[in-house]
Amino acid sequence: MTRDEALILLDCSLTELADKLYITTAAVARWNPEKIPPLRESQIRDLAEGRTPVGLIPRTLSIHTAESNI
């Protein structure tokens, strides 16, 4: 899947895609535009089909919460 195909599939912008995946827009911009990472492709397909993608970690977790789980 290309990055543009992902944007079309979810009918969103680069920023909105990043928000849906709980990552930064800069991270999405660094993807190879011709072939996105396989895990992200799977997550995007899940979102498009109305399923909750496996492995998404909301950005609302604080650094302190994440560190306490190490």
Side-chain angles (χ1 to χ4, degrees):
M1 173 184 293
T2 67
R3 190 171 55 204
D4 286 343
E5 288 171 339
L7 297 174
I8 291 167
L9 184 63
L10 294 178
D11 189 29
C12 65
S13 69
L14 203 68
T15 301
E16 291 167 330
L17 177 60
D19 288 345
K20 290 175 188 286
L21 296 173
Y22 301 110
I23 59 177
T24 64
T25 304
V28 176
R30 285 192 299 265
W31 292 349
N32 177 344
E34 299 304 315
K35 181 67 178 144
I36 67 172
L39 174 62
R40 296 305 184 184
E41 181 175 345
S42 175
Q43 291 171 331
I44 289 164
R45 290 189 189 282
D46 284 346
L47 287 169
E49 293 175 12
R51 294 190 305 257
T52 301
V54 174
L56 287 186
I57 301 171
R59 279 190 248 165
T60 55
L61 288 176
S62 73
I63 292 171
H64 301 292
T65 303
E67 289 175 346
S68 68
N69 293 325
I70 295 176

